[in-house]
Amino acid sequence: MPMNIPAYSLLIACLLPIVAAGLQKWGARDYDNHNPRQWSQHMSEPRRQRALAAQANSWEALIVFAAALLFALQAELESQTRDLLCVSFIVSRLLYIGAYYFDKALLRSLVWFVGFGSALAMIGLSAR
């Protein structure tokens, strides 16, 4: 059975916001599961704040990626190109979350551009 890179990529992209949320809450002794949004608004640790921002951006990126992937599949974009762009998006998003969490601002911005560019490339190449 061949590997279905688009399906696995979409699955991973759907899980990335949850990964970022996990980083935000990991080890927090004062985490309040009864009021998680209120807890998030009062976090004082910068890495937890950055993880929350990475989570929000991951939801935003998921929408763009899902639309780009849908367009690429509908347009029957060449599979090797499509798969390469899917992997590029996922790897860049993983690096993005790590760079955000560990406060590597320049790396974070660079990998954001790679991920967003991968999604835009899927759309652009499918529009031909």
Side-chain angles (χ1 to χ4, degrees), residues 46 50 53-54 57 92-93 95-114:
R50 290 190 302 271
N57 187 269
S92 71
R93 293 305 303 173
L95 290 171
Y96 175 86
I97 291 171
Y100 217 147
Y101 187 74
F102 292 109
D103 198 19
K104 304 296 181 193
L106 179 59
L107 177 61
R108 183 188 83 224
S109 294
L110 292 174
V111 295
W112 181 90
F113 277 108
V114 171

PDB file of all heavy atoms in Angstrom, residues 46 50 53-54 57 92-93 95-114:
ATOM      1  N   PRO A  46       7.096  33.509  29.684  1.00  0.00           N
ATOM      2  CA  PRO A  46       7.165  33.831  28.246  1.00  0.00           C
ATOM      3  C   PRO A  46       7.068  32.605  27.342  1.00  0.00           C
ATOM      4  O   PRO A  46       6.427  32.676  26.280  1.00  0.00           O
ATOM      5  CB  PRO A  46       8.519  34.518  28.100  1.00  0.00           C
ATOM      6  CG  PRO A  46       8.799  35.082  29.452  1.00  0.00           C
ATOM      7  CD  PRO A  46       8.208  34.104  30.424  1.00  0.00           C
ATOM      8  N   ARG A  50       4.462  32.134  24.327  1.00  0.00           N
ATOM      9  CA  ARG A  50       4.870  31.853  22.949  1.00  0.00           C
ATOM     10  C   ARG A  50       4.209  30.583  22.426  1.00  0.00           C
ATOM     11  O   ARG A  50       3.822  30.505  21.256  1.00  0.00           O
ATOM     12  CB  ARG A  50       6.394  31.764  22.849  1.00  0.00           C
ATOM     13  CG  ARG A  50       7.097  33.099  23.043  1.00  0.00           C
ATOM     14  CD  ARG A  50       8.573  33.030  22.715  1.00  0.00           C
ATOM     15  NE  ARG A  50       9.299  32.039  23.490  1.00  0.00           N
ATOM     16  CZ  ARG A  50       9.868  32.270  24.670  1.00  0.00           C
ATOM     17  NH1 ARG A  50       9.812  33.474  25.208  1.00  0.00           N
ATOM     18  NH2 ARG A  50      10.519  31.307  25.289  1.00  0.00           N
ATOM     19  N   ALA A  53       0.786  31.483  21.355  1.00  0.00           N
ATOM     20  CA  ALA A  53       0.836  32.168  20.064  1.00  0.00           C
ATOM     21  C   ALA A  53       1.099  31.170  18.932  1.00  0.00           C
ATOM     22  O   ALA A  53       0.504  31.272  17.852  1.00  0.00           O
ATOM     23  CB  ALA A  53       1.909  33.254  20.077  1.00  0.00           C
ATOM     24  N   ALA A  54       1.960  30.187  19.178  1.00  0.00           N
ATOM     25  CA  ALA A  54       2.233  29.153  18.168  1.00  0.00           C
ATOM     26  C   ALA A  54       0.978  28.324  17.899  1.00  0.00           C
ATOM     27  O   ALA A  54       0.714  27.927  16.766  1.00  0.00           O
ATOM     28  CB  ALA A  54       3.381  28.258  18.627  1.00  0.00           C
ATOM     29  N   ASN A  57      -1.334  30.433  15.706  1.00  0.00           N
ATOM     30  CA  ASN A  57      -0.828  30.495  14.346  1.00  0.00           C
ATOM     31  C   ASN A  57      -0.977  29.149  13.645  1.00  0.00           C
ATOM     32  O   ASN A  57      -1.195  29.091  12.435  1.00  0.00           O
ATOM     33  CB  ASN A  57       0.623  30.959  14.321  1.00  0.00           C
ATOM     34  CG  ASN A  57       1.089  31.193  12.912  1.00  0.00           C
ATOM     35  OD1 ASN A  57       1.619  30.293  12.278  1.00  0.00           O
ATOM     36  ND2 ASN A  57       0.866  32.400  12.412  1.00  0.00           N
ATOM     37  N   SER A  92       8.338  22.586   8.059  1.00  0.00           N
ATOM     38  CA  SER A  92       8.476  23.997   8.430  1.00  0.00           C
ATOM     39  C   SER A  92       7.586  24.336   9.621  1.00  0.00           C
ATOM     40  O   SER A  92       7.984  25.117  10.494  1.00  0.00           O
ATOM     41  CB  SER A  92       8.180  24.911   7.243  1.00  0.00           C
ATOM     42  OG  SER A  92       6.807  24.907   6.933  1.00  0.00           O
ATOM     43  N   ARG A  93       6.398  23.767   9.695  1.00  0.00           N
ATOM     44  CA  ARG A  93       5.500  24.042  10.819  1.00  0.00           C
ATOM     45  C   ARG A  93       6.039  23.441  12.119  1.00  0.00           C
ATOM     46  O   ARG A  93       5.909  24.043  13.179  1.00  0.00           O
ATOM     47  CB  ARG A  93       4.091  23.525  10.531  1.00  0.00           C
ATOM     48  CG  ARG A  93       3.378  24.243   9.409  1.00  0.00           C
ATOM     49  CD  ARG A  93       3.305  25.739   9.585  1.00  0.00           C
ATOM     50  NE  ARG A  93       2.660  26.085  10.848  1.00  0.00           N
ATOM     51  CZ  ARG A  93       2.568  27.307  11.341  1.00  0.00           C
ATOM     52  NH1 ARG A  93       3.059  28.328  10.681  1.00  0.00           N
ATOM     53  NH2 ARG A  93       1.970  27.522  12.492  1.00  0.00           N
ATOM     54  N   LEU A  95       9.239  23.010  12.777  1.00  0.00           N
ATOM     55  CA  LEU A  95      10.337  23.909  13.125  1.00  0.00           C
ATOM     56  C   LEU A  95       9.815  25.236  13.660  1.00  0.00           C
ATOM     57  O   LEU A  95      10.384  25.818  14.582  1.00  0.00           O
ATOM     58  CB  LEU A  95      11.243  24.144  11.915  1.00  0.00           C
ATOM     59  CG  LEU A  95      12.077  22.947  11.474  1.00  0.00           C
ATOM     60  CD1 LEU A  95      12.754  23.247  10.138  1.00  0.00           C
ATOM     61  CD2 LEU A  95      13.090  22.575  12.534  1.00  0.00           C
ATOM     62  N   TYR A  96       8.722  25.706  13.098  1.00  0.00           N
ATOM     63  CA  TYR A  96       8.111  26.956  13.530  1.00  0.00           C
ATOM     64  C   TYR A  96       7.697  26.882  15.004  1.00  0.00           C
ATOM     65  O   TYR A  96       8.002  27.778  15.794  1.00  0.00           O
ATOM     66  CB  TYR A  96       6.891  27.263  12.653  1.00  0.00           C
ATOM     67  CG  TYR A  96       6.122  28.482  13.086  1.00  0.00           C
ATOM     68  CD1 TYR A  96       6.483  29.748  12.652  1.00  0.00           C
ATOM     69  CD2 TYR A  96       5.025  28.372  13.939  1.00  0.00           C
ATOM     70  CE1 TYR A  96       5.783  30.874  13.052  1.00  0.00           C
ATOM     71  CE2 TYR A  96       4.321  29.483  14.348  1.00  0.00           C
ATOM     72  CZ  TYR A  96       4.704  30.730  13.908  1.00  0.00           C
ATOM     73  OH  TYR A  96       4.007  31.839  14.314  1.00  0.00           O
ATOM     74  N   ILE A  97       7.012  25.818  15.372  1.00  0.00           N
ATOM     75  CA  ILE A  97       6.574  25.665  16.764  1.00  0.00           C
ATOM     76  C   ILE A  97       7.775  25.613  17.692  1.00  0.00           C
ATOM     77  O   ILE A  97       7.806  26.279  18.727  1.00  0.00           O
ATOM     78  CB  ILE A  97       5.673  24.424  16.926  1.00  0.00           C
ATOM     79  CG1 ILE A  97       4.337  24.659  16.211  1.00  0.00           C
ATOM     80  CG2 ILE A  97       5.440  24.106  18.405  1.00  0.00           C
ATOM     81  CD1 ILE A  97       3.464  23.423  16.112  1.00  0.00           C
ATOM     82  N   GLY A  98       8.788  24.835  17.319  1.00  0.00           N
ATOM     83  CA  GLY A  98      10.002  24.761  18.141  1.00  0.00           C
ATOM     84  C   GLY A  98      10.716  26.095  18.242  1.00  0.00           C
ATOM     85  O   GLY A  98      11.137  26.506  19.328  1.00  0.00           O
ATOM     86  N   ALA A  99      10.829  26.798  17.134  1.00  0.00           N
ATOM     87  CA  ALA A  99      11.510  28.097  17.138  1.00  0.00           C
ATOM     88  C   ALA A  99      10.735  29.110  17.972  1.00  0.00           C
ATOM     89  O   ALA A  99      11.333  29.912  18.707  1.00  0.00           O
ATOM     90  CB  ALA A  99      11.680  28.606  15.702  1.00  0.00           C
ATOM     91  N   TYR A 100       9.428  29.071  17.883  1.00  0.00           N
ATOM     92  CA  TYR A 100       8.610  29.986  18.686  1.00  0.00           C
ATOM     93  C   TYR A 100       8.783  29.677  20.168  1.00  0.00           C
ATOM     94  O   TYR A 100       9.023  30.569  20.987  1.00  0.00           O
ATOM     95  CB  TYR A 100       7.141  29.846  18.293  1.00  0.00           C
ATOM     96  CG  TYR A 100       6.361  31.145  18.303  1.00  0.00           C
ATOM     97  CD1 TYR A 100       5.334  31.346  17.392  1.00  0.00           C
ATOM     98  CD2 TYR A 100       6.628  32.170  19.194  1.00  0.00           C
ATOM     99  CE1 TYR A 100       4.603  32.520  17.381  1.00  0.00           C
ATOM    100  CE2 TYR A 100       5.904  33.347  19.195  1.00  0.00           C
ATOM    101  CZ  TYR A 100       4.895  33.513  18.292  1.00  0.00           C
ATOM    102  OH  TYR A 100       4.166  34.676  18.287  1.00  0.00           O
ATOM    103  N   TYR A 101       8.666  28.414  20.523  1.00  0.00           N
ATOM    104  CA  TYR A 101       8.751  27.995  21.919  1.00  0.00           C
ATOM    105  C   TYR A 101      10.102  28.364  22.542  1.00  0.00           C
ATOM    106  O   TYR A 101      10.168  28.831  23.675  1.00  0.00           O
ATOM    107  CB  TYR A 101       8.507  26.489  22.019  1.00  0.00           C
ATOM    108  CG  TYR A 101       8.406  25.971  23.421  1.00  0.00           C
ATOM    109  CD1 TYR A 101       7.275  26.221  24.192  1.00  0.00           C
ATOM    110  CD2 TYR A 101       9.426  25.219  23.982  1.00  0.00           C
ATOM    111  CE1 TYR A 101       7.165  25.734  25.486  1.00  0.00           C
ATOM    112  CE2 TYR A 101       9.326  24.734  25.272  1.00  0.00           C
ATOM    113  CZ  TYR A 101       8.192  24.992  26.017  1.00  0.00           C
ATOM    114  OH  TYR A 101       8.097  24.508  27.307  1.00  0.00           O
ATOM    115  N   PHE A 102      11.173  28.163  21.771  1.00  0.00           N
ATOM    116  CA  PHE A 102      12.522  28.430  22.276  1.00  0.00           C
ATOM    117  C   PHE A 102      13.007  29.847  21.948  1.00  0.00           C
ATOM    118  O   PHE A 102      14.192  30.139  22.083  1.00  0.00           O
ATOM    119  CB  PHE A 102      13.500  27.369  21.776  1.00  0.00           C
ATOM    120  CG  PHE A 102      13.237  26.018  22.381  1.00  0.00           C
ATOM    121  CD1 PHE A 102      12.719  24.996  21.612  1.00  0.00           C
ATOM    122  CD2 PHE A 102      13.488  25.786  23.719  1.00  0.00           C
ATOM    123  CE1 PHE A 102      12.456  23.748  22.165  1.00  0.00           C
ATOM    124  CE2 PHE A 102      13.235  24.554  24.289  1.00  0.00           C
ATOM    125  CZ  PHE A 102      12.713  23.534  23.508  1.00  0.00           C
ATOM    126  N   ASP A 103      12.128  30.704  21.502  1.00  0.00           N
ATOM    127  CA  ASP A 103      12.395  32.125  21.279  1.00  0.00           C
ATOM    128  C   ASP A 103      13.509  32.371  20.264  1.00  0.00           C
ATOM    129  O   ASP A 103      14.418  33.168  20.488  1.00  0.00           O
ATOM    130  CB  ASP A 103      12.706  32.821  22.610  1.00  0.00           C
ATOM    131  CG  ASP A 103      12.551  34.335  22.524  1.00  0.00           C
ATOM    132  OD1 ASP A 103      11.876  34.821  21.590  1.00  0.00           O
ATOM    133  OD2 ASP A 103      13.111  35.035  23.385  1.00  0.00           O
ATOM    134  N   LYS A 104      13.416  31.715  19.136  1.00  0.00           N
ATOM    135  CA  LYS A 104      14.347  31.909  18.020  1.00  0.00           C
ATOM    136  C   LYS A 104      13.592  32.671  16.924  1.00  0.00           C
ATOM    137  O   LYS A 104      13.096  32.102  15.953  1.00  0.00           O
ATOM    138  CB  LYS A 104      14.866  30.565  17.497  1.00  0.00           C
ATOM    139  CG  LYS A 104      15.518  29.701  18.553  1.00  0.00           C
ATOM    140  CD  LYS A 104      16.752  30.352  19.106  1.00  0.00           C
ATOM    141  CE  LYS A 104      17.424  29.476  20.148  1.00  0.00           C
ATOM    142  NZ  LYS A 104      18.420  30.196  20.904  1.00  0.00           N
ATOM    143  N   ALA A 105      13.486  33.983  17.118  1.00  0.00           N
ATOM    144  CA  ALA A 105      12.592  34.809  16.299  1.00  0.00           C
ATOM    145  C   ALA A 105      12.936  34.785  14.806  1.00  0.00           C
ATOM    146  O   ALA A 105      12.044  34.672  13.964  1.00  0.00           O
ATOM    147  CB  ALA A 105      12.582  36.237  16.826  1.00  0.00           C
ATOM    148  N   LEU A 106      14.212  34.921  14.459  1.00  0.00           N
ATOM    149  CA  LEU A 106      14.582  34.941  13.049  1.00  0.00           C
ATOM    150  C   LEU A 106      14.274  33.594  12.387  1.00  0.00           C
ATOM    151  O   LEU A 106      13.684  33.555  11.298  1.00  0.00           O
ATOM    152  CB  LEU A 106      16.061  35.297  12.877  1.00  0.00           C
ATOM    153  CG  LEU A 106      16.566  35.321  11.436  1.00  0.00           C
ATOM    154  CD1 LEU A 106      15.793  36.336  10.596  1.00  0.00           C
ATOM    155  CD2 LEU A 106      18.059  35.629  11.397  1.00  0.00           C
ATOM    156  N   LEU A 107      14.657  32.494  13.036  1.00  0.00           N
ATOM    157  CA  LEU A 107      14.354  31.167  12.501  1.00  0.00           C
ATOM    158  C   LEU A 107      12.849  30.985  12.359  1.00  0.00           C
ATOM    159  O   LEU A 107      12.367  30.464  11.351  1.00  0.00           O
ATOM    160  CB  LEU A 107      14.944  30.080  13.406  1.00  0.00           C
ATOM    161  CG  LEU A 107      14.631  28.642  13.001  1.00  0.00           C
ATOM    162  CD1 LEU A 107      15.190  28.323  11.620  1.00  0.00           C
ATOM    163  CD2 LEU A 107      15.174  27.673  14.049  1.00  0.00           C
ATOM    164  N   ARG A 108      12.109  31.432  13.363  1.00  0.00           N
ATOM    165  CA  ARG A 108      10.651  31.313  13.327  1.00  0.00           C
ATOM    166  C   ARG A 108      10.093  32.017  12.094  1.00  0.00           C
ATOM    167  O   ARG A 108       9.263  31.467  11.373  1.00  0.00           O
ATOM    168  CB  ARG A 108      10.040  31.913  14.594  1.00  0.00           C
ATOM    169  CG  ARG A 108       8.533  31.758  14.649  1.00  0.00           C
ATOM    170  CD  ARG A 108       7.938  32.532  15.799  1.00  0.00           C
ATOM    171  NE  ARG A 108       7.757  33.920  15.398  1.00  0.00           N
ATOM    172  CZ  ARG A 108       8.065  34.974  16.128  1.00  0.00           C
ATOM    173  NH1 ARG A 108       8.576  34.841  17.325  1.00  0.00           N
ATOM    174  NH2 ARG A 108       7.855  36.177  15.671  1.00  0.00           N
ATOM    175  N   SER A 109      10.558  33.217  11.836  1.00  0.00           N
ATOM    176  CA  SER A 109      10.062  33.964  10.680  1.00  0.00           C
ATOM    177  C   SER A 109      10.449  33.286   9.367  1.00  0.00           C
ATOM    178  O   SER A 109       9.634  33.211   8.436  1.00  0.00           O
ATOM    179  CB  SER A 109      10.608  35.394  10.704  1.00  0.00           C
ATOM    180  OG  SER A 109      10.089  36.087  11.812  1.00  0.00           O
ATOM    181  N   LEU A 110      11.661  32.795   9.290  1.00  0.00           N
ATOM    182  CA  LEU A 110      12.113  32.128   8.057  1.00  0.00           C
ATOM    183  C   LEU A 110      11.299  30.875   7.762  1.00  0.00           C
ATOM    184  O   LEU A 110      10.857  30.666   6.628  1.00  0.00           O
ATOM    185  CB  LEU A 110      13.603  31.795   8.154  1.00  0.00           C
ATOM    186  CG  LEU A 110      14.556  32.985   8.156  1.00  0.00           C
ATOM    187  CD1 LEU A 110      15.991  32.516   8.413  1.00  0.00           C
ATOM    188  CD2 LEU A 110      14.468  33.758   6.845  1.00  0.00           C
ATOM    189  N   VAL A 111      11.097  30.034   8.782  1.00  0.00           N
ATOM    190  CA  VAL A 111      10.351  28.799   8.526  1.00  0.00           C
ATOM    191  C   VAL A 111       8.865  29.078   8.317  1.00  0.00           C
ATOM    192  O   VAL A 111       8.184  28.328   7.611  1.00  0.00           O
ATOM    193  CB  VAL A 111      10.591  27.713   9.603  1.00  0.00           C
ATOM    194  CG1 VAL A 111      12.033  27.260   9.585  1.00  0.00           C
ATOM    195  CG2 VAL A 111      10.177  28.167  10.980  1.00  0.00           C
ATOM    196  N   TRP A 112       8.371  30.180   8.877  1.00  0.00           N
ATOM    197  CA  TRP A 112       6.985  30.569   8.590  1.00  0.00           C
ATOM    198  C   TRP A 112       6.846  30.842   7.097  1.00  0.00           C
ATOM    199  O   TRP A 112       5.889  30.388   6.468  1.00  0.00           O
ATOM    200  CB  TRP A 112       6.596  31.816   9.391  1.00  0.00           C
ATOM    201  CG  TRP A 112       5.175  32.237   9.135  1.00  0.00           C
ATOM    202  CD1 TRP A 112       4.063  31.833   9.808  1.00  0.00           C
ATOM    203  CD2 TRP A 112       4.719  33.129   8.095  1.00  0.00           C
ATOM    204  NE1 TRP A 112       2.939  32.417   9.259  1.00  0.00           N
ATOM    205  CE2 TRP A 112       3.315  33.224   8.198  1.00  0.00           C
ATOM    206  CE3 TRP A 112       5.360  33.848   7.095  1.00  0.00           C
ATOM    207  CZ2 TRP A 112       2.544  34.005   7.355  1.00  0.00           C
ATOM    208  CZ3 TRP A 112       4.593  34.627   6.244  1.00  0.00           C
ATOM    209  CH2 TRP A 112       3.202  34.700   6.372  1.00  0.00           C
ATOM    210  N   PHE A 113       7.803  31.588   6.526  1.00  0.00           N
ATOM    211  CA  PHE A 113       7.769  31.894   5.100  1.00  0.00           C
ATOM    212  C   PHE A 113       7.859  30.629   4.251  1.00  0.00           C
ATOM    213  O   PHE A 113       7.184  30.513   3.227  1.00  0.00           O
ATOM    214  CB  PHE A 113       8.876  32.877   4.706  1.00  0.00           C
ATOM    215  CG  PHE A 113       8.511  34.305   4.950  1.00  0.00           C
ATOM    216  CD1 PHE A 113       9.099  35.010   5.980  1.00  0.00           C
ATOM    217  CD2 PHE A 113       7.565  34.948   4.155  1.00  0.00           C
ATOM    218  CE1 PHE A 113       8.753  36.334   6.224  1.00  0.00           C
ATOM    219  CE2 PHE A 113       7.205  36.274   4.389  1.00  0.00           C
ATOM    220  CZ  PHE A 113       7.804  36.968   5.422  1.00  0.00           C
ATOM    221  N   VAL A 114       8.666  29.668   4.671  1.00  0.00           N
ATOM    222  CA  VAL A 114       8.772  28.402   3.927  1.00  0.00           C
ATOM    223  C   VAL A 114       7.425  27.676   3.933  1.00  0.00           C
ATOM    224  O   VAL A 114       6.947  27.206   2.895  1.00  0.00           O
ATOM    225  CB  VAL A 114       9.893  27.510   4.503  1.00  0.00           C
ATOM    226  CG1 VAL A 114       9.848  26.116   3.885  1.00  0.00           C
ATOM    227  CG2 VAL A 114      11.255  28.160   4.289  1.00  0.00           C
TER     228      VAL A 114
END
